[in-house]
Structures are given as structure tokens and as C-alpha cells.
Amino acid sequence: MFEVDLQGVPQRAFTGALPAPTDIDDLVRQAHARYASHREGSVADYIPILAEAPPDLFGISVVDVAGGAHEHGDADHAFSIQSISKAFVFALVCEAIGHQAVHDRVGVNNTGLPFNSVMALELNGGCPMNPMVNAGAIATTALMPAASHDERWARVRDGLSRFAGRELEIDAEVYRSEMRTNTRNRAIARLLEGYGRLETDPDAVVDTYTRQCALTVTAHDLAVMGATLADGGVNPITGARVVSAEVARDTLAVLASCGMYERSGEWLYEIGVPAKSGVAGGIVAVSPGKGAIGVFSPPLDSAGNSVRGQRVCAFLSRALGLNLFASQPAPVPSPAPHPSDNTEAP
Ligand code: DON
């Protein structure tokens, strides 16, 4: 995955604090300049409207837990959130029904298979296992408590908007384009129903799931949403609590193991922070207690992850000192003075 030239990338030790704001601005600009000319990857086309996205669009935003924003390029360009919604709907559903219920009814393990795999369901007796792939996300959306499908959609949209700190709108063209072509997701929902894993109408759940994927965000919004998970569940811009600190923690644990699909292991090895990607070209990467990166660049690799997005995160993880697994030896304490050290010469 990572044929990333990281030569000369500034390295910062993991310290628990981000660098000074002007240094973050500068590193975000450097990351943009370094990868803007990279041309690998292809824009998604299985949702027909997404194939029209200009491949050169490229925006980066870093939002810290104090609410500071550091951005460059097309950080305000709107695109559909797609699979990144799975992370935040998962958090909202955990908040609504609790840690154990989500664990029991959806699962929290990587399937090791592509995001739209049907085989993963068949291999696991209909248990979706992974809330970050389509089967698990459809099952998770279905668990949002509501008296009607309209109410469920309203709760999903309202919750995602609270993560972003603004009212998110649906891109009607993206929604319609996906609804015309999403036979595979409909089949997955029917299979979940067949296994007794869906307690509501499969077509209606796929409709809500497709709407949540068609909500538009910017790289800045993604960074704010991620920074909310980094900030114990409180949106650092609005100051509003969106989910509990425990739910934010649990969501990041699932993102660490499942967020980048079958590439999640490589991602952790190279970048070392929880993250989630979407097929329109967005990635959110979260550094607990520090902040989050939102990147947007439409060309994807074969697993459906933005190529420039991954490179930017690899760069910034090193340059900002974000890798959760990095540590430095504790300073050796100086030995306590021995009482005899104080004896004065007679
Ligand atoms: O359900 C789908 O296939 C899309 N709405 C979302 C997939 C996606 O974003 C995969 N991500 N990289």
C-alpha cells in the first residue's frame, strides 16, 4: 500500500501535545505541496455520479482539541461523507443503546474482507462482525432507536450534524445515483434479515444508510468531527457534548482495528492512529487528546482509500508526533543524595 516517499519528512516524538499552531500551519502546507502532484489511484465509479469528481481536488484540515483549525487547498470543498458516516453513526448508536448491546448485535472485529463483502456475512453465520463495512454499518443504522424510518433518519442526520457543528445537507444527486445502483447493499440487508439480524424493513434501512452516506461534508468538517472524538466526545468548536467520553473511546478502538478495511493493519503499522475512509475520497484520522486530520482527494487505491489522503496522514503522523504506539524512554531519575554526601570535612 504505502509506496510513500517519506524521505526528509520531519519527525516529531510523541509528546502528548501538538506543535505550536504556526508550525502546524506550515506542516499542513508542506504536506499539500509534497503530494499535490501525485497522480496514482482512480476515482470511484461504482456509484456513477462519483466518477465525475475532478481528481485534482485536494484539501487538508487539522483541527485541534482547543478548536484551532489549520488548513490548505480545497479544505472547504463539499463531497459526500460516504463510509466515514459509519464511524459517527456507530458512536451515536453506542450512545443510544450501550457498549455491550452493540458488541453483541453487530460485533467489533475486522472481517479482513472488502467493505462490500457478502462472503464475510456468510462465513460468520450472518453476524456482521465489523461495524465499519457495509453489512455492519447497515445493521448499526437499523439499531438507532426510533418509532419510524423518518425519525431514524432525523436522528442520524441530527447526530452527524452535531459532530460537525453545523447542519449537514444531503447531496440529492449522490443519493439518487447510489439508490439506482445499490443492489449489493440491498442484497446484504436481505441476507441480514434472513439471518434474523435485522429487526426492521431491509429496504427502509438501506434507504437511511444511503442517505447518511450522501450527506456532504468538507475536509474541515471531517477534522471537526474527528476532533470531537479526540476531545472526549465534546465538539471543540461548539463546546457541545455529542457522545460520552467512553463512547468516543470505544469508537476510536473500532476505527483502529477496522477503519481502513482490510488495510487496517498496514495503516496502524505506518500511521498509528484510528481512522476512517470514504469512497468519495475523504479520510478522517484521529489523535486522542490532540485533534484530528480531515483530508479530501478523490483518487482511491484498490481497497477504496484515498491515495493522497493516506500519504498526507503518513506525513502528518510523523511530523506532528501522532503515532499512538510511539514512546520515548522516561528520563532516568537522578540518584537521591546519600546522607554521607552531606558530612562536612572536619
Ligand atoms: O455503501 C457504499 O458502498 C457506499 N455508500 C459507501 C462505501 C464507502 O465509502 C467505502 N469506502 N471507502
Side-chain angles (χ1 to χ4, degrees):
M1 161 176 92
F2 280 97
E3 288 156 31
V4 188
D5 170 20
L6 288 165
Q7 216 182 357
V9 173
Q11 304 273 332
R12 182 183 161 90
F14 184 88
T15 60
L18 288 171
T22 50
D23 292 344
I24 306 178
D25 289 337
D26 185 46
L27 290 164
V28 165
R29 265 196 300 275
Q30 279 185 43
H32 194 278
R34 188 173 181 116
Y35 301 117
S37 61
H38 286 212
R39 293 278 172 268
E40 296 95 322
S42 349
V43 172
D45 58 5
Y46 79 97
I47 300 173
I49 188 85
L50 296 186
E52 293 172 21
D56 287 340
L57 287 170
F58 183 25
I60 309 176
S61 172
V62 172
V63 169
D64 59 52
V65 291
H70 315 271
E71 331 206 294
H72 202 70
D74 303 307
D76 288 326
H77 184 91
F79 57 94
S80 52
I81 188 169
Q82 295 298 341
S83 281
I84 301 169
S85 64
K86 293 166 177 163
F88 299 96
V89 173
F90 176 81
L92 296 168
V93 170
C94 282
E95 184 79 12
I97 73 170
H99 175 101
Q100 196 58 39
V102 175
H103 176 276
D104 296 346
R105 297 172 76 176
V106 183
V108 290
N109 276 314
N110 197 317
T111 44
L113 288 164
F115 68 86
N116 57 0
S117 175
V118 173
M119 196 165 69
L121 265 183
E122 291 284 54
L123 287 174
N124 295 298
C127 178
M129 305 268 289
N130 173 350
M132 297 300 136
V133 296
N134 292 6
I138 291 167
T140 303
T141 296
L143 290 174
M144 176 66 94
S148 67
H149 298 299
D150 285 349
E151 187 191 335
R152 180 167 296 115
W153 164 236
R155 288 195 69 177
V156 165
R157 181 178 165 198
D158 174 64
L160 294 181
S161 299
R162 281 184 287 124
F163 269 111
R166 71 178 184 91
E167 198 66 22
L168 297 179
E169 303 288 343
I170 200 166
D171 182 327
E173 248 191 310
V174 170
Y175 165 69
R176 281 197 296 269
S177 183
E178 184 161 3
M179 284 303 282
R180 276 196 292 270
T181 51
N182 64 354
T183 46
R184 202 177 172 93
N185 283 345
R186 290 171 196 266
I188 286 173
R190 293 262 169 222
L191 198 54
L192 285 168
E193 185 190 32
Y195 274 110
R197 293 261 170 193
L198 212 55
E199 286 165 22
T200 186
D201 177 60
D203 287 334
V205 176
V206 171
D207 182 76
T208 306
Y209 164 81
T210 309
R211 285 172 192 269
Q212 83 185 41
C213 290
L215 286 170
T216 59
V217 289
T218 62
H220 171 80
D221 291 328
L222 289 183
V224 174
M225 295 173 89
T228 302
L229 293 177
D231 192 29
V234 172
N235 183 313
I237 306 285
T238 63
R241 174 164 294 286
V242 183
V243 291
S244 69
E246 292 73 25
V247 164
R249 177 202 62 199
D250 295 347
T251 304
L252 293 177
V254 172
L255 292 192
S257 58
C258 307
M260 302 302 277
Y261 308 119
E262 67 275 29
R263 304 272 166 84
S264 297
E266 274 172 282
W267 172 275
L268 268 196
Y269 186 68
E270 291 294 340
I271 297 170
V273 292
K276 185 76 203 81
S277 64
V279 80
I283 296 184
V284 61
V286 182
S287 179
K290 291 182 174 176
I293 306 169
V295 199
F296 170 56
S297 167
L300 311 176
D301 69 9
S302 59
N305 300 322
S306 165
V307 175
R308 283 197 200 103
Q310 293 176 77
R311 294 178 181 178
V312 164
C313 292
F315 178 102
L316 290 176
S317 167
R318 285 162 178 78
L320 298 176
L322 305 182
N323 193 315
L324 293 181
F325 305 104
S327 60
Q328 286 180 302
V332 180
S334 38
H338 192 271
S340 62
D341 292 349
N342 278 337
T343 48
E344 292 192 5

